[in-house]
Amino acid sequence: MVTEYVLRIPLDRHVLSTRRSFTAVIEDIRDAVGGAGAGGQLHSPPSSAGRGLSGRQVNGTPVPAGLIGIGELDIDHALVRGAETSCLLRLLVDMLPASRDLVRFLPDAGASCPVAILVQQAADGGTRLLYDSVASAISIHQDEESLAVARGFDAEVLALLRRVAADDG
């Protein structure tokens, strides 16, 4: 017998817009977390032994250790898109200790990790970054331990995105 139910989950979607070019934004994210090459092949992620700052930098600011690139989906080639959209790339990023703790406290959290960052080239030449918060995705379960871990995960991803989106000049 199969049981099915639907959970309505309100998501907090963070949208950052920047005048920085799509290419510059993608390069900075890849530099910070490692990235997938052509065909989804992963580059070796930067060393992230321990917690704290890793020695990697984006726009001159140290990046927290722990975020690693898991893969990329070039949506331009995977889906048909409208003429007004120039480039779309979905980056999968994880923080393995946080993901491990999240599923230990709340197995359903595995549906939210790794996280996806959508990077969109805007019509004006700038870039938009979209990120759905893990804490909002699991908030319906009201598990305080997993929410604390998810908030830390979200904080690291958002700190990186804010640095990447920051204008150079």
Side-chain angles (χ1 to χ4, degrees):
M1 182 165 125
V2 174
T3 303
E4 180 178 339
Y5 59 95
V6 175
L7 295 173
R8 297 209 184 275
I9 301 172
L11 284 176
D12 292 341
R13 174 163 292 164
H14 298 262
V15 180
L16 292 84
S17 294
T18 178
R19 294 181 307 218
R20 297 192 70 220
S21 74
F22 178 85
T23 302
V25 168
I26 293 296
E27 286 174 0
D28 280 353
I29 293 173
R30 285 179 179 149
D31 285 348
V33 302
Q41 298 296 320
L42 295 178
H43 298 294
S44 298
S47 172
S48 59
R51 296 193 58 86
L53 301 178
S54 68
R56 296 175 285 143
Q57 294 192 353
V58 172
N59 287 340
T61 305
V63 176
L67 294 177
I68 62 169
I70 300 297
E72 295 179 7
L73 174 60
D74 186 344
I75 299 174
D76 284 343
H77 293 101
L79 303 171
V80 176
R81 58 191 170 79
E84 70 280 352
T85 303
S86 299
C87 294
L88 286 173
L89 187 66
R90 179 173 291 173
L91 304 169
L92 298 178
V93 176
D94 208 346
M95 193 167 71
L96 298 176
S99 291
R100 181 193 61 232
D101 288 347
L102 280 168
V103 298
R104 183 169 48 101
F105 297 134
L106 180 67
D108 287 8
S112 300
C113 297
V115 299
I117 299 167
L118 183 66
V119 184
Q120 175 189 11
Q121 183 177 13
D124 65 2
T127 304
R128 287 178 7 125
L129 298 144
L130 289 83
Y131 171 71
D132 294 339
S133 142
V134 176
S136 67
I138 67 169
S139 65
I140 192 167
H141 298 287
Q142 299 178 352
D143 182 280
E144 288 304 316
E145 287 177 304
S146 61
L147 281 170
V149 172
R151 287 182 188 114
F153 192 163
D154 288 337
E156 288 212 33
V157 172
L158 289 167
L160 171 64
L161 296 181
R162 288 174 182 135
R163 280 191 293 275
V164 167
D167 290 332
D168 287 335

